[in-house]
Amino acid sequence: MANLLPRDPPGTINPAKLLAWAETLPDVGAPNSPDPPAPLEIPPAAVEAVSQDTEVATRTPAATDATVHRLARISSDCNLEDDPLLKENPRYEDMRQEFEQSFAGGLRPSSGRARHLSHHGYFRRQILSQAELFVPLDPDASLDSVVVMEKASASIYDAYLLRADIAKNLNAFYRCQVVFHPSSRTYTLWTREGRVGLPGTGHQRTADNLKSLTDRFRTIFRQKTGLTWNRRYDRPSGLGGRFTFVELDYRGRAAASRVEESDRHYEGIDAHIHEGVRSLMEVMLCGGPVRKDAINEELRTVGTRSAFTAPYEYLSPWACYQGFKTLQRIYRYLESGGLIRWKAVLGASSRYRSQVPFCAGHCRTPAISSYYAIFPELKFIYRLWPQPDVASMLNEVHLQGSRQLHAYGKLSQPMHRAYSSLRHGFRRLTKPLTVEFRELKDYLAKSCHSAHGLRVELQEIYGVFIKSNLPNPYGDWIETKLGHAPFGEERLLLWHGTPLDSLLGILDLGLQIRRRGATWTGTMFGNGIYFADASSKSATFCKHRTSDGEAVLLLCEVDAGRQRIRSVQSMADGHTVVGASSGLSRCIEGRGKLGPAKWKDVSWEIVGAPNGGVVRMPTAGHISTLH
């Protein structure tokens, strides 16, 4: 039974503690508790900017300082219609107006048209002072080349674009520029694309006619961003798959010379979580492994980041301001104390990575979902753009982080909290020679049929269980049927395939039949939960091609019942047929051409399974044709 399960792995939080008040937590100061991450540090310049508040921020808070927020539950719910993170997003026009009034300074453009080319005359002023500008050249361009500028259209023909999607491990730049070669009196359109911080791949197109290349430049910009070059400061396109235009300041700033990627430390986040939990949580939360070092090993090998593909020194105040506003919204969302929808946090984190470049090489960029993750990004923004608003938020995040550290003995970290939010726990099977491991491996391999056009390769096996003191509907079902199942039970181990981004929801809520009234398509036997005795059949539902060939197969204990409805044809109204059987049948068995010839009793103990009854699985190697 669930209440007899061993304790959760070290480095995770018992779910019973998730919403408990700080003073009731039994593990604070426990001898075996993991060391807390390093304390947050505020840059000296930021401390000076808010010196009157420094004493409050840097001391250890007493219990009377303020009520420590409960650790909010991380939810897999993807219904974002009422999500505060999205509701609080300010209108783009209002954000731009706030920036112009508070930070940009200078003269406003003289016409409405000029506002599409610039904001508050900022970009135009760079053109007017072009003698002082330095626009970096593509690494393959000749040294005597210069980037083309046009005063009439306020154009510096150099566009730096970003596109990030953490779940898809997408962290890409695209840079396009038109340069002039004085020696040959020719023009070249350079494009370069790749992973942020790496050299990328460059392409060129040379011509004597400048207009043909500037027209091509504008076409590329529209294709990548959804905006025309002459309206590049309009609201960004909401369509998926678009790049974000990142404004650069070619006049340079002394403060930027101190900025390095190593300022953004992430190695402390989730550093102490159990390794068997980490690997699967990384798959569920981000779609795959995240980087563990502050700087990717590939970047270390190269020696440094490419300043052309990650131009921190040139990020303009407007670019910093946009990133700051996104961080501010994530912070307020985490501070709301309500349910945290992970997909909303992941989307906002991806948006921030599309506004402020982050060097991760070929590794996945980390999501921004805790104080520990927000803080280094704020420090980074402050070094580029030392504004009191940024310093004030640094101070606030530091204070809240200190309170949390004092109350809980550790900073709340995303994997800790997400694992604690799940109804199901899991443990990695680490002994390949056990009967359990060998028979599960055989079942996976020998139920993979060439007819389905897939080949499976085992990476890891995890045992899944209902966490202590949490409801187990399946267990309750079995308990009520013991000795009272007139039509007979039959408990089978069957496969269920699911995309990686659905795994968090399954371990959060369990396998769910679609709600009444919800739309559903692609179901051969009506609305229900689908299982198969062929691993390759279930694997076809995993959408593995969108996840670099990786997928998750769930092997589930299913009480299919002996009196199943058997059919060799699809039944679109199958759920209605089952419902009309008055309990005689609880599922439909689709009879295919391939299937197990024999079934046998499971010979190992299934942890957390309901008491009583026999669980069966196919006899490995016996495959027959069904009619």
Side-chain angles (χ1 to χ4, degrees), residues 100-308:
E100 292 174 351
Q101 292 176 349
S102 304
F103 304 107
L107 299 175
R108 292 182 180 277
S110 58
S111 67
R113 175 180 177 275
R115 286 179 57 81
H116 301 307
L117 302 176
S118 179
H119 51 76
H120 218 27
Y122 176 79
F123 204 77
R124 299 181 72 88
R125 288 202 303 275
Q126 291 197 69
I127 291 291
L128 296 175
S129 61
Q130 61 177 298
E132 305 171 9
L133 302 185
F134 177 77
V135 184
L137 290 168
D138 187 278
D140 290 338
S142 59
L143 296 179
D144 65 337
S145 305
V146 292
V147 174
V148 175
M149 305 181 190
E150 284 183 357
K151 287 187 179 181
S153 61
S155 293
I156 300 176
Y157 284 105
D158 176 50
Y160 179 66
L161 312 177
L162 287 177
R163 181 185 169 204
D165 188 326
I166 295 174
K168 296 179 180 178
N169 193 20
L170 183 64
N171 184 34
F173 77 91
Y174 190 96
R175 195 159 186 176
C176 183
Q177 61 182 203
V178 180
V179 302
F180 173 64
H181 308 283
S183 57
S184 60
R185 310 297 294 177
T186 58
Y187 299 90
T188 299
L189 172 66
W190 283 99
T191 59
R192 185 167 293 273
E193 57 187 321
R195 303 280 296 188
V196 174
L198 298 181
T201 304
H203 304 277
Q204 63 175 316
R205 176 184 293 188
T206 301
D208 297 329
N209 185 357
L210 174 62
K211 188 176 185 306
S212 65
L213 295 184
T214 56
D215 286 348
R216 179 58 184 163
F217 175 96
R218 292 167 182 265
T219 298
I220 292 174
F221 186 85
R222 184 177 67 252
Q223 292 172 343
K224 296 294 184 181
T225 65
L227 299 171
T228 64
W229 177 249
N230 286 342
R231 301 179 70 94
R232 56 191 176 276
Y233 285 96
D234 283 5
R235 182 182 184 86
S237 172
L239 298 176
R242 299 291 192 185
F243 280 79
T244 299
F245 169 53
V246 180
E247 184 187 68
L248 302 181
D249 183 350
Y250 303 106
R251 294 174 297 183
R253 288 167 292 138
S257 62
R258 301 194 302 269
V259 175
E260 293 294 340
E261 179 67 21
S262 58
D263 289 340
R264 301 152 94 175
H265 295 289
Y266 280 88
E267 59 267 70
I269 295 183
D270 296 311
H272 301 283
I273 196 166
H274 191 271
E275 189 60 33
V277 172
R278 175 196 300 278
S279 54
L280 192 55
M281 288 304 302
E282 287 180 339
V283 167
M284 287 192 292
L285 295 178
C286 300
V290 296
R291 69 189 219 155
K292 297 180 176 63
D293 298 323
I295 300 179
N296 181 252
E297 188 63 33
E298 184 172 1
L299 293 174
R300 287 178 176 168
T301 302
V302 172
T304 183
R305 64 177 170 87
S306 166
F308 186 77

Side-chain angles (χ1 to χ4, degrees), residues 28 86 99 182 203 223 267 318 381 385 396 494 576 587 605:
V28 173
L86 302 181
F99 174 79
H203 304 277
Q223 292 172 343
E267 59 267 70
W318 171 242
I381 292 291
W385 190 54
E396 187 177 349
L494 299 172
T576 304
C587 74
E605 179 184 0

Side-chain angles (χ1 to χ4, degrees), residues 1 52 108 204 253 276 283 324 375 391 399 479 510 553 591:
M1 296 295 290
Q52 58 183 352
R108 292 182 180 277
Q204 63 175 316
R253 288 167 292 138
V283 167
F324 169 66
F375 200 81
L399 177 59
E479 292 291 341
L553 280 177
R591 305 281 286 182

Side-chain angles (χ1 to χ4, degrees), residues 454 456 495-497 534-544 551 553:
L454 288 174
V456 297
W495 300 102
H496 178 82
S535 59
S536 52
K537 177 66 174 178
S538 295
T540 61
F541 296 91
C542 292
K543 299 182 180 179
H544 58 282
L553 280 177

Side-chain angles (χ1 to χ4, degrees), residues 197-463:
L198 298 181
T201 304
H203 304 277
Q204 63 175 316
R205 176 184 293 188
T206 301
D208 297 329
N209 185 357
L210 174 62
K211 188 176 185 306
S212 65
L213 295 184
T214 56
D215 286 348
R216 179 58 184 163
F217 175 96
R218 292 167 182 265
T219 298
I220 292 174
F221 186 85
R222 184 177 67 252
Q223 292 172 343
K224 296 294 184 181
T225 65
L227 299 171
T228 64
W229 177 249
N230 286 342
R231 301 179 70 94
R232 56 191 176 276
Y233 285 96
D234 283 5
R235 182 182 184 86
S237 172
L239 298 176
R242 299 291 192 185
F243 280 79
T244 299
F245 169 53
V246 180
E247 184 187 68
L248 302 181
D249 183 350
Y250 303 106
R251 294 174 297 183
R253 288 167 292 138
S257 62
R258 301 194 302 269
V259 175
E260 293 294 340
E261 179 67 21
S262 58
D263 289 340
R264 301 152 94 175
H265 295 289
Y266 280 88
E267 59 267 70
I269 295 183
D270 296 311
H272 301 283
I273 196 166
H274 191 271
E275 189 60 33
V277 172
R278 175 196 300 278
S279 54
L280 192 55
M281 288 304 302
E282 287 180 339
V283 167
M284 287 192 292
L285 295 178
C286 300
V290 296
R291 69 189 219 155
K292 297 180 176 63
D293 298 323
I295 300 179
N296 181 252
E297 188 63 33
E298 184 172 1
L299 293 174
R300 287 178 176 168
T301 302
V302 172
T304 183
R305 64 177 170 87
S306 166
F308 186 77
T309 69
Y312 300 142
E313 297 86 347
Y314 299 96
L315 292 181
S316 73
W318 171 242
C320 294
Y321 174 78
Q322 287 182 294
F324 169 66
K325 296 300 286 187
T326 302
L327 290 176
Q328 196 174 56
R329 290 196 294 276
I330 296 175
Y331 173 66
R332 288 174 179 170
Y333 181 64
L334 298 177
E335 283 292 291
S336 66
L339 195 69
I340 296 176
R341 290 182 173 89
W342 179 255
K343 290 189 177 181
V345 171
L346 206 61
S349 300
S350 297
R351 178 171 180 79
Y352 175 77
R353 302 297 185 200
S354 298
Q355 296 167 328
V356 178
F358 185 89
C359 297
H362 290 286
C363 294
R364 196 177 305 267
T365 57
I368 304 169
S369 55
S370 65
Y371 298 139
Y372 205 96
I374 292 175
F375 200 81
E377 296 300 334
L378 281 173
K379 287 201 303 182
F380 185 76
I381 292 291
Y382 185 82
R383 291 180 184 274
L384 290 170
W385 190 54
Q387 293 292 322
D389 286 3
V390 184
S392 178
M393 186 174 168
L394 267 170
N395 206 44
E396 187 177 349
V397 172
H398 181 271
L399 177 59
Q400 290 295 79
S402 299
R403 284 173 175 160
Q404 190 179 87
L405 189 63
H406 174 75
Y408 291 91
K410 64 185 74 171
L411 287 175
S412 174
Q413 300 172 39
M415 278 190 211
H416 286 102
R417 196 184 303 188
Y419 179 84
S420 304
S421 299
L422 298 176
R423 189 161 66 91
H424 295 80
F426 49 83
R427 286 183 179 81
R428 187 168 59 194
L429 275 62
T430 57
K431 298 180 179 178
L433 298 181
T434 61
V435 174
E436 178 182 13
F437 194 103
R438 286 189 287 106
E439 292 200 350
L440 290 174
K441 182 178 179 180
D442 285 346
Y443 188 8
L444 175 73
K446 294 179 180 179
S447 66
C448 180
H449 307 312
S450 59
H452 298 130
L454 288 174
R455 183 176 62 86
V456 297
E457 181 179 338
L458 177 65
Q459 291 187 356
E460 303 283 358
I461 300 178
Y462 290 85

